[in-house]
Amino acid sequence: MAYHLSLSLSLSLLLFTYFPSNSQSNQFCEAGIGYDEVGCGISSSSTKLLIKGGTVVNAHHQEIADVYVKDGIIVAVKPNLTVGDDVKVIDATGKFVMPGGIDPHTHLAMEALNTESVDDFFSGQAAALAEGLKRCKSLGALAMVHAENGDAVFEGQKRMIQLGITGPEGHALSRPPLLEGEATARAIRLAGFVNTPLYVVHVMSIDAMEEIAKARKSGQRVIGEPVVSGLALDDSGLWDSDFTTASKYVMSPPIRASGHGKALQDALSNGVLQLVGTDHCVFNSTQKASGIDDFRKIPNGVNGIEERMHLVWDLMVESGQISVTDYVRVTSTECARIFNIYPRKGAIIAGSDADIIILNPKSTFEINARSHHSRTDTNVYEGRRGKGKVEVTIAGGRVVWENNELKVVPGSGKYIEMAPFSYLFSGIDRADASYLSSLNAPVKRFKSTT
């Protein structure tokens, strides 16, 4: 479950911690979806895979090795492995074998403006949980903040309407980068006051990025998450004369003017920003058309859950801005560490879950709405081409994508329990104790007897 809390700051706060055992993992089963001959979801029969000859890439190391998988778990990662005959073999020679990507930020089956995003938990994926910053700290939960100044945005929207600007461009003009920067700074200062880690979602502007950089330089534990749309696009599409085209780019915070994206790419490459999400939240052109006469009524959100791994490779690795190991870190490992599921997820080592992708760096991709798997009829990356294609996806030890074919059914996914108090909380108690001892208070005073 995910709850957005409206604070007096006009910041939206999500609390991301662990899922209770048996939370809602059987929702598809209870609905009778995803059953096969042996029960709910995928078959329970033993599965064995051997991925041969690929370059195995983790966040801090890469080597040419084989990967042996049994019953959904990575058993061994070594060169020239020999196993039995009852094993499916995948030849990964000349390709990269990496941990499956983890998208830290999606909105699936989400209600907005009297409609619901068209991708649900089968055509998309995961979720989060429940209160304020102080409560987060006591729970060991990571506060995730959507940093915009709601009151100022409301005034900006009124100003645009008064000026007769009712189209999608009014959305961007009503919430400029300085408001994102102001809200980001306010959230950071409040987290600093409480002394708890903070995660700023969808960092879209130089203004917000610079606030995060300043906080991290001072030693504050702040995570900055750019999203693919902010890295890859600029706001020119919002001025398109065709409403359907322009409205598909409406999201919050808005996609920014040219220059912001390159600055965010630089920040990702030098470690100021730590991982890449999508804020995937899609509405079709009919839903977007509800705001044809008033941009305030356009449902906010763009796609990205399917395109993220390809675009990050093309933008950041193919261009030489980050290494292959850094690619694994920003698309998988760092997310797993932040949300306390590493090394079960985010690594290809013995004992990790067998969630694996095989990426061919020589293969090319093209993005369009005709061939994507989202239910929306538009795509903000329409016509984009690049190098580096995921050719095989393995989830829980089973091949779920191969030869451009999806091999999965509703109900085969599952919730992963995430323990509280990730590495971001390490040393927080000591810092609190040091702060308290530095106060030299309360002062013991005596009352005059005269």
Side-chain angles (χ1 to χ4, degrees):
M1 294 177 286
Y3 297 88
H4 289 262
L5 307 183
S6 179
L7 306 182
S8 58
L9 309 168
S10 300
L11 297 172
S12 186
L13 176 67
L14 296 92
L15 314 187
F16 204 151
T17 181
Y18 62 92
F19 288 106
S21 298
N22 303 317
S23 54
Q24 291 181 333
S25 58
N26 294 320
Q27 60 175 327
F28 289 115
C29 298
E30 291 167 358
I33 300 171
Y35 278 89
D36 61 13
E37 70 276 7
V38 296
C40 182
I42 56 178
S43 170
S44 63
S45 59
S46 174
T47 58
K48 298 177 183 178
L49 285 175
L50 182 63
I51 304 170
K52 292 283 293 182
T55 300
V56 177
V57 186
N58 283 300
H60 305 293
H61 177 69
Q62 65 182 72
E63 62 177 327
I64 295 176
D66 300 339
V67 180
Y68 178 48
V69 171
K70 181 179 179 182
D71 296 336
I73 302 296
I74 296 170
V75 176
V77 182
K78 293 179 181 178
N80 304 313
L81 280 172
T82 301
V83 296
D85 296 329
D86 58 339
V87 178
K88 175 181 173 63
V89 177
I90 299 175
D91 184 3
T93 304
K95 303 174 184 179
F96 292 111
V97 180
M98 305 174 174
I102 304 173
D103 188 342
H105 188 174
T106 62
H107 298 271
L108 305 169
M110 185 190 81
E111 293 182 4
L113 297 175
N114 298 315
T115 190
E116 184 176 286
S117 59
V118 294
D119 279 343
D120 59 21
F121 287 94
F122 178 55
S123 58
Q125 283 147 60
L129 183 55
E131 237 166 72
L133 289 167
K134 188 175 180 181
R135 184 62 173 158
C136 282
K137 182 178 179 180
S138 68
L139 292 171
L142 180 58
M144 302 177 74
V145 176
H146 175 137
E148 289 192 286
N149 188 323
D151 293 335
V153 166
F154 179 70
E155 291 302 317
Q157 290 175 330
K158 286 201 301 184
R159 182 190 302 172
M160 293 303 112
I161 297 299
Q162 289 167 357
L163 292 172
I165 302 172
T166 60
E169 71 277 12
H171 176 76
L173 294 171
S174 69
R175 50 216 310 155
L178 64 90
L179 294 187
E180 185 187 352
E182 183 274 336
T184 302
R186 199 151 31 104
I188 287 170
R189 283 160 176 75
L190 286 168
F193 176 70
V194 176
N195 189 28
T196 194
L198 182 71
Y199 184 120
V200 183
V201 301
H202 47 44
V203 178
M204 298 295 286
S205 66
I206 294 171
D207 305 56
M209 179 270 289
E210 288 180 340
E211 294 295 341
I212 292 166
K214 183 167 61 176
R216 288 179 62 84
K217 188 175 182 180
S218 72
Q220 192 171 343
R221 298 177 188 190
V222 180
I223 299 295
E225 172 211 90
V227 290
V228 175
S229 55
L231 295 171
L233 303 173
D234 63 44
D235 68 350
S236 58
L238 289 163
W239 272 260
D240 195 283
S241 58
D242 178 68
F243 176 84
T244 298
T245 299
S247 64
K248 73 180 180 181
Y249 294 100
V250 172
M251 65 173 292
S252 295
I255 297 167
R256 302 300 185 184
S258 179
H260 286 270
K262 185 59 175 73
L264 295 176
Q265 291 176 31
D266 291 344
L268 183 64
S269 67
N270 64 31
V272 170
L273 302 175
Q274 287 70 52
L275 73 169
V276 182
T278 61
D279 191 19
H280 178 95
C281 183
V282 289
F283 300 91
N284 60 37
S285 57
T286 301
Q287 292 171 306
K288 291 272 189 176
S290 61
I292 195 165
D293 297 317
D294 185 345
F295 67 84
R296 296 171 298 181
K297 297 178 182 178
I298 301 173
N300 283 207
V302 303
N303 59 287
I305 201 169
E306 181 172 348
E307 298 82 7
R308 181 181 73 124
M309 299 297 283
H310 294 143
L311 288 172
V312 175
W313 179 274
D314 190 57
L315 278 171
M316 303 301 297
V317 182
E318 192 64 29
S319 67
Q321 294 187 82
I322 64 173
S323 67
V324 178
T325 52
D326 281 337
Y327 173 81
V328 169
R329 177 178 56 81
V330 302
T331 61
S332 182
T333 305
E334 188 60 20
C335 184
R337 292 183 69 233
I338 287 169
F339 298 114
N340 226 7
I341 52 174
Y342 179 86
R344 177 179 177 183
K345 305 289 185 182
I348 297 185
I349 58 177
S352 296
D353 286 358
D355 300 327
I356 300 168
I357 62 168
I358 299 176
L359 185 145
N360 187 344
K362 297 179 181 178
S363 188
T364 60
F365 65 85
E366 181 176 355
I367 299 170
N368 58 70
R370 296 187 309 277
S371 61
H372 71 201
H373 293 79
S374 172
R375 290 172 178 164
T376 185
D377 57 346
T378 63
N379 193 305
V380 292
Y381 309 104
E382 185 70 34
R384 189 161 189 134
R385 298 180 179 182
K387 287 188 69 176
K389 185 177 180 180
V390 176
E391 295 184 338
V392 179
T393 302
I394 297 164
R398 293 176 179 273
V399 176
V400 295
W401 174 261
E402 188 178 27
N403 299 322
N404 293 316
E405 182 183 354
L406 187 64
K407 303 176 179 182
V408 69
V409 296
S412 59
K414 62 181 178 180
Y415 286 99
I416 302 299
E417 183 174 333
M418 288 176 272
F421 296 103
S422 72
Y423 81 93
L424 292 170
F425 288 85
S426 177
I428 289 285
D429 289 344
R430 291 193 299 276
D432 285 343
S434 177
Y435 165 73
L436 292 173
S437 66
S438 73
L439 296 178
N440 297 318
V443 175
K444 293 182 179 180
R445 293 182 173 88
F446 60 88
K447 294 182 179 179
S448 172
T449 58
T450 58

